[in-house]
Amino acid sequence: MREFSYERIADPAAAAARAAEVEGAKFIAGGTNLLDLMKLEIETPVHLIDVNGSGLDKITETPEGGLRIGALVRNTTLSAHARVRRDYPVLTRALVAGASGQLRNKATTAGNLLQRTRCPYFYDTAQACNKRVPGSGCSALTEGAFSRQLGIIGTSDACIATHPSDMAVGLRTLDAVVETITPTGMTRTIHLEEFHHLPGDTPDQENALMPGEMITAVTLPAPIGGQQVYHKVRDRASYAFALVSVALIRQPDGSGRVALGGVAPKPWRSAAADAELPNGAAAVVAQLLDGARPTEENTFKIALAERTLAALLAED
């Protein structure tokens, strides 16, 4: 791990201003992903700004009947919250499917959204990776590369990495909105569908945040009810990232919402696919994964997504 300086800043606006002022600065809260990346010298911040004292660890009701989830709310706290369990159960189920109990006790709402890919070539500094070193190439796309875990849609010729968050997939079905504060003290709201970027030619630009901008909360609209489930298919029963995950909200009339994880650089959902729910899993996945570009190793994810969704739709 390289040398770095450290300070604590309680005021979110001051923390954002400081992050913009010091080139190479990073925010730290739970640190469950950042510290691992620092140990591997994939992330090399020169300055860490500890924001744990900023008071952004509350869950409050909004005037519209939704919830405002502070950026520092721990994953365990969020999954166990009475209103989340009652009104947004897809979120609770997605959170519990992620990582381990110990990590959920430390991981934060903002950190979960900002965690970086677990592509093996991103983690191996001896390999080319456009996310880690822009312009160096993508080892995952070379002949004989291991791509079983990687993306099949929303990818590009520069990157086929997936976003690892389970929580984000649940939030995507709930039409969550990300709240931020900029270094100038201005606030912004970013719909989750627009928050994570597709790789295109710039895989290193992963989200819509400006330099120094800090997430302060995630807001959920009023509950929409319906049957809400989250199912994660993985290689082992715990502490593993999704091969495919499905978040489903289904209303009594057969309408609803579907988002996929484990297949793309962001939680994957489309209005056109949602509209196909009354027509069954095959119709939904055909629309949702239209234009998919799987590798030979991960083409199975298309059938796996359809079968997983079909199993959920068959449940009473």
Side-chain angles (χ1 to χ4, degrees), residues 246-288:
V246 178
L248 170 67
I249 300 177
R250 184 168 54 160
Q251 302 298 343
D253 64 0
S255 65
R257 304 171 180 180
V258 178
L260 298 182
V263 299
K266 60 191 291 184
W268 201 252
R269 179 185 166 203
S270 79
D274 288 349
E276 293 289 345
L277 257 176
N279 299 320
V284 172
V285 172
Q287 184 64 244
L288 196 54

Side-chain angles (χ1 to χ4, degrees), residues 192-257:
L192 188 61
E193 64 183 297
E194 300 168 348
F195 182 78
H196 295 107
H197 287 173
L198 297 181
D201 296 328
T202 55
D204 57 308
Q205 298 176 21
E206 297 176 352
N207 56 62
L209 295 178
M210 300 181 292
E213 190 171 11
M214 176 179 160
I215 296 174
T216 54
V218 173
T219 302
L220 301 179
I224 62 170
Q227 176 197 26
Q228 299 188 18
V229 293
Y230 183 83
H231 188 72
K232 179 178 181 179
V233 182
R234 45 190 162 177
D235 284 327
R236 56 183 185 271
S238 65
Y239 203 62
F241 296 96
L243 289 169
V244 167
S245 64
V246 178
L248 170 67
I249 300 177
R250 184 168 54 160
Q251 302 298 343
D253 64 0
S255 65
R257 304 171 180 180

Side-chain angles (χ1 to χ4, degrees), residues 159-173:
C159 181
I160 61 170
T162 57
H163 195 273
S165 174
D166 292 291
M167 182 193 78
V169 182
L171 289 174
R172 184 67 186 87
T173 63

Side-chain angles (χ1 to χ4, degrees), residues 13-311:
R18 180 65 169 153
E21 175 185 307
V22 180
E23 186 175 356
K26 289 274 187 180
F27 301 116
I28 188 167
T32 57
N33 187 208
L34 177 60
L35 292 177
D36 284 343
L37 294 174
M38 289 173 65
K39 292 173 185 177
L40 295 170
E41 296 191 0
I42 295 169
E43 293 272 13
T44 55
V46 300
H47 186 65
L48 292 183
I49 301 170
D50 188 331
V51 295
N52 280 297
S54 58
L56 301 175
D57 58 352
K58 307 294 190 298
I59 303 173
T60 57
E61 297 193 7
T62 66
E64 297 77 21
L67 285 183
R68 186 176 186 272
I69 304 160
L72 298 180
V73 173
R74 308 292 162 165
N75 286 178
T76 296
T77 301
L78 181 57
S79 67
H81 190 271
R83 278 239 19 221
V84 175
R85 289 171 61 88
R86 184 189 73 199
D87 295 334
Y88 309 97
V90 67
L91 179 54
T92 287
R93 294 177 181 187
L95 284 161
V96 172
S100 65
Q102 296 92 329
L103 285 171
R104 292 194 297 270
N105 288 342
K106 291 294 291 182
T108 62
T109 299
N112 194 307
L113 290 177
L114 293 172
Q115 64 181 301
R116 306 198 69 186
T117 184
R118 268 41 176 212
C119 172
Y121 299 103
F122 173 74
Y123 269 77
D124 184 350
T125 56
Q127 301 290 330
C129 173
N130 288 317
K131 267 190 184 300
R132 185 169 20 83
V133 183
S136 63
C138 176
S139 292
L141 288 169
T142 59
E143 184 177 354
F146 178 78
S147 58
R148 182 171 178 271
Q149 292 275 357
L150 302 180
I152 61 173
I153 194 158
T155 57
S156 72
D157 292 337
C159 181
I160 61 170
T162 57
H163 195 273
S165 174
D166 292 291
M167 182 193 78
V169 182
L171 289 174
R172 184 67 186 87
T173 63
L174 296 169
D175 289 336
V177 174
V178 179
E179 298 181 4
T180 71
I181 189 163
T182 71
T184 61
M186 300 293 290
T187 58
R188 280 211 300 162
T189 57
I190 308 167
H191 289 274
L192 188 61
E193 64 183 297
E194 300 168 348
F195 182 78
H196 295 107
H197 287 173
L198 297 181
D201 296 328
T202 55
D204 57 308
Q205 298 176 21
E206 297 176 352
N207 56 62
L209 295 178
M210 300 181 292
E213 190 171 11
M214 176 179 160
I215 296 174
T216 54
V218 173
T219 302
L220 301 179
I224 62 170
Q227 176 197 26
Q228 299 188 18
V229 293
Y230 183 83
H231 188 72
K232 179 178 181 179
V233 182
R234 45 190 162 177
D235 284 327
R236 56 183 185 271
S238 65
Y239 203 62
F241 296 96
L243 289 169
V244 167
S245 64
V246 178
L248 170 67
I249 300 177
R250 184 168 54 160
Q251 302 298 343
D253 64 0
S255 65
R257 304 171 180 180
V258 178
L260 298 182
V263 299
K266 60 191 291 184
W268 201 252
R269 179 185 166 203
S270 79
D274 288 349
E276 293 289 345
L277 257 176
N279 299 320
V284 172
V285 172
Q287 184 64 244
L288 196 54
L289 297 183
D290 182 39
R293 301 195 311 168
T295 67
E296 184 177 347
E297 280 200 341
N298 65 21
T299 190
F300 73 91
K301 289 191 176 190
I302 297 174
L304 183 59
E306 181 183 330
R307 292 169 184 168
T308 304
L309 178 57

